Amino acid sequence: PATTSAPTITTTAAPVEIVDGGDFGPYQVGRSTISLVDSSRDGRTLPVDIWYPVDPAATAEPSVYTFATGIEYTSEHALADPDISGEGPFPVVVYSHGHNGLRYVSAFLTERLASHGFIVVAPDHVGNTLIDAFLGATDSQEVVRSNRLADISFLVSSVVDGTGDPLLAMLASSIDPDNIGMVGHSLGGWTELNIVAGTELTEPDRRIKAVVGLAAFTQEISDDTLASVDVPTLLIGGTLDETAPNDTNLNRPFELISGRPVYRVEIEGAGHQSFTDVCLYQQLLPAVADIPQAVLDAIDVYAQEACTPTFIDWAEAQRIVDTYTIGFFVDQLTDRSDGEPIFTQDFASTLSGVSFTSKS
């Protein structure tokens, strides 16, 4: 089986000073879970995870990721509910999970983002989560897509205004409301591109200043909508993605998106779930006492899109995703310059199996 240790990426080009998103940054990571209630949508309730920078000397119990009662694993990096670092304000990144995903399904990325000085907020898109799928409670496609767009607008407003939960009120003075980015996997990529561009369901959300699509599902987004995406954009796909193939989901938005810069990164051997923690789940969950076989079977199905020897080692794929995503948000949402050197052909040439294209 694959290991959880990330391989070292070596460089052959002249060294450059860059943010190494594959490693943890200068901060410890805090994680808290809250519930937000949207009274304008009949009390729709969203579980929300928040990862945030914590001072290196802080102590707290490890954070636990819980799928359901008794089905959980302990984070190796995130602490449970410590105080946020006083070094803010920090930029904000919103994470949107894919179809039948979870708010913390890409914790490999959300934890590292926090360690590099970002506050990351991620909702469960209720009616379109893994738990809903198990319960047979997944909403119709029309309802799912409408809810997703409204979920993000509501969440951004709650974070910026510091409303809906005492934790958000406490974090309000630590966020930089002028620098908000968004990252989405699969249908989460559909979500972010539509909310930035605006559709018949929602006005463009101008508060979101930069977006990252991970295996973004774009084939059902119109040409006009993609052309209306006018913010800096990073698109990352895998050559073995059969759920959102690059030919129809990566190449077209790269050509049409009007925002600049727009970057296209293709990872040789990556599949659709290389952008999630599914392979980690496949390793850890069998050790959980009395875990239902149906859960293990479901994870094994998802794992067929990333975790077999056919694919790039999943930890290496995640390291590449971390490096590009964190470098992008450093470059676009902060006044630091250590993200910019990542977005060059010289840097891409140091990474095995990475194809890079840009428009500035």
Side-chain angles (χ1 to χ4, degrees), residues 89-92 119 159-161 171-177 180:
F90 301 105
V92 175
I119 296 173
V159 171
V160 170
D161 298 339
L171 293 178
S173 62
S174 297
I175 72 164
D176 179 355
I180 299 175

Side-chain angles (χ1 to χ4, degrees), residues 46-254:
L46 302 178
V48 175
D49 271 7
I50 305 175
W51 296 263
Y52 49 91
V54 175
D55 290 333
T59 58
E61 293 296 314
S63 188
V64 175
Y65 291 101
T66 302
F67 298 86
T69 303
I71 305 176
E72 59 191 25
Y73 74 96
T74 300
S75 173
E76 294 184 2
H77 305 288
L79 304 177
D81 307 311
D83 291 336
I84 191 170
S85 170
E87 295 185 3
F90 301 105
V92 175
V93 174
V94 179
Y95 175 83
S96 178
H97 65 73
H99 175 68
N100 289 342
L102 293 164
R103 63 190 183 275
Y104 50 78
V105 75
S106 296
F108 78 90
L109 173 61
T110 53
E111 289 183 348
R112 279 179 173 80
L113 274 164
S115 79
H116 283 273
F118 296 88
I119 296 173
V120 186
V121 292
D124 268 354
H125 293 292
V126 175
N128 191 217
T129 71
L130 181 62
I131 306 305
D132 296 314
F134 274 120
L135 297 176
T138 300
D139 290 330
S140 68
Q141 176 176 290
E142 181 180 5
V143 170
V144 163
R145 295 187 177 191
S146 176
N147 275 337
R148 279 177 162 270
L149 300 177
D151 289 346
I152 298 303
S153 290
F154 168 65
L155 177 60
V156 172
S157 293
S158 299
V159 171
V160 170
D161 298 339
T163 57
D165 187 271
L167 178 61
L168 293 183
M170 181 192 74
L171 293 178
S173 62
S174 297
I175 72 164
D176 179 355
D178 295 324
N179 283 292
I180 299 175
M182 186 170 174
V183 56
H185 172 241
S186 191
L187 195 56
W190 176 96
T191 304
E192 66 182 353
L193 294 176
N194 274 283
I195 200 166
V196 166
T199 70
E200 68 277 4
L201 297 174
T202 183
E203 293 294 320
D205 195 324
R206 301 299 183 188
R207 298 170 296 183
I208 297 172
K209 303 299 175 59
V211 294
V212 176
L214 306 178
F217 180 71
T218 66
Q219 64 192 48
E220 295 180 5
I221 303 178
S222 72
D223 287 1
D224 287 345
T225 297
L226 288 173
S228 296
V229 176
D230 59 358
V231 299
T233 303
L234 166 64
L235 302 167
I236 309 179
T239 62
L240 297 184
D241 190 337
E242 296 183 354
T243 298
N246 289 346
D247 285 349
T248 50
N249 293 275
L250 181 66
N251 299 336
R252 188 172 67 98
F254 176 73

